[in-house]
Amino acid sequence: EEKLLYVPNAYAGEVSIPKTVKEIDYNAFVDCHKMTKLVIPKEFEGDNYAFDYASGLTSLKEFVVEEGNPYYYSENGLLFEDGGLIKVPVLAIPAEYELPSKLANGNVLYYIYSDAFIDCGNLTSVTLSETIEDISSAQCFRYCHALKEIKVVKENPYFNSIDGVLYSEDGKTVVAFPTQYAEKSYKVLDGVTTIGSYAFCYAFNLE
């Protein structure tokens, strides 16, 4: 039982990872659309790939990490590792959500993993707190079909939001474009030198 390979996608309700598991296949939780809760034991110290890559968890309400786990932490149902946001359960946040800057365990939140908000189809607005300094890529908002704007608090020195589009603070990089941007066309800012990975990949309204 040292490696968890697969959880059947028909499995409903709560799933608890056995305490003996040391490794989880990165596809283990994909399309577990009936799973509502995932419990991570204090003994699990393996890589986060299975949590980060998990998609299709359309009924997931919360992650619960047992107290004493040295690597993972859950707060308000969200899953964190040190100062990084790994995964947001689809049903854990409101349509308009502002990321925290500091967690209850004292960790400062500074990083967003590549698939953190995947499948959050009801999310219309997300706000980056002042401590967020790095986003893996715009893929973190993959399948957020209702997302109209990505905002940034004014105290954040790393990013800037202009008309709901996420830029680097200096305005030279387009970081992420909301899937439901109101207009059918968009002109990037003068001075832009870089388009971030997947920045416009899910811009469904652009023609």
Side-chain angles (χ1 to χ4, degrees):
E1 297 182 12
E2 290 192 352
K3 183 172 184 178
L4 176 61
L5 295 175
Y6 177 67
V7 176
N9 56 24
Y11 198 101
E14 178 179 323
V15 173
S16 294
I17 298 171
K19 298 180 185 299
T20 55
V21 168
K22 296 181 180 179
E23 183 183 359
I24 303 176
D25 188 87
Y26 72 93
N27 279 322
F29 303 112
V30 171
D31 291 331
C32 287
H33 57 277
K34 294 183 179 181
M35 182 171 66
T36 59
K37 181 179 179 179
L38 181 57
V39 180
I40 302 171
K42 65 181 180 181
E43 292 85 1
F44 183 73
E45 301 177 3
D47 290 332
N48 63 46
Y49 300 129
F51 310 126
D52 184 27
Y53 294 157
S55 61
L57 310 183
T58 53
S59 298
L60 189 63
K61 297 178 180 179
E62 62 176 334
F63 287 94
V64 174
V65 180
E66 291 183 350
E67 188 174 352
N69 188 299
Y71 293 100
Y72 298 99
Y73 174 73
S74 58
E75 183 171 315
N76 297 323
L78 281 64
L79 182 63
F80 301 90
E81 180 181 32
D82 295 325
L85 172 60
I86 299 175
K87 184 69 71 179
V88 177
V90 172
L91 302 180
I93 58 173
E96 297 182 3
Y97 180 68
E98 181 172 339
L99 287 159
S101 56
K102 192 173 184 178
L103 305 178
N105 68 352
N107 285 345
V108 173
L109 182 62
Y110 67 89
Y111 182 71
I112 300 176
Y113 278 84
S114 60
D115 284 328
F117 289 93
I118 190 171
D119 295 320
C120 288
N122 292 327
L123 185 67
T124 60
S125 174
V126 62
T127 302
L128 305 190
S129 62
E130 64 268 27
T131 58
I132 301 296
E133 60 182 73
D134 194 8
I135 294 176
S136 177
S137 79
Q139 282 221 107
C140 68
F141 301 115
R142 188 157 47 117
Y143 306 141
C144 293
H145 297 303
L147 187 62
K148 297 179 180 179
E149 58 180 353
I150 305 167
K151 300 191 292 185
V152 181
V153 298
K154 62 181 181 180
E155 295 83 4
N156 186 301
Y158 307 102
F159 295 101
N160 191 15
S161 177
I162 300 175
D163 296 328
V165 180
L166 186 63
Y167 282 84
S168 58
E169 192 278 332
D170 60 8
K172 293 183 178 181
T173 301
V174 182
V175 179
F177 193 85
T179 56
Q180 287 299 320
Y181 188 76
E183 305 297 329
K184 300 296 184 182
S185 62
Y186 181 76
K187 182 180 183 299
V188 300
L189 297 178
D190 292 336
V192 167
T193 59
T194 304
I195 304 296
S197 298
Y198 302 98
F200 288 94
C201 190
Y202 305 100
F204 300 118
N205 279 356
L206 295 185
E207 296 180 348

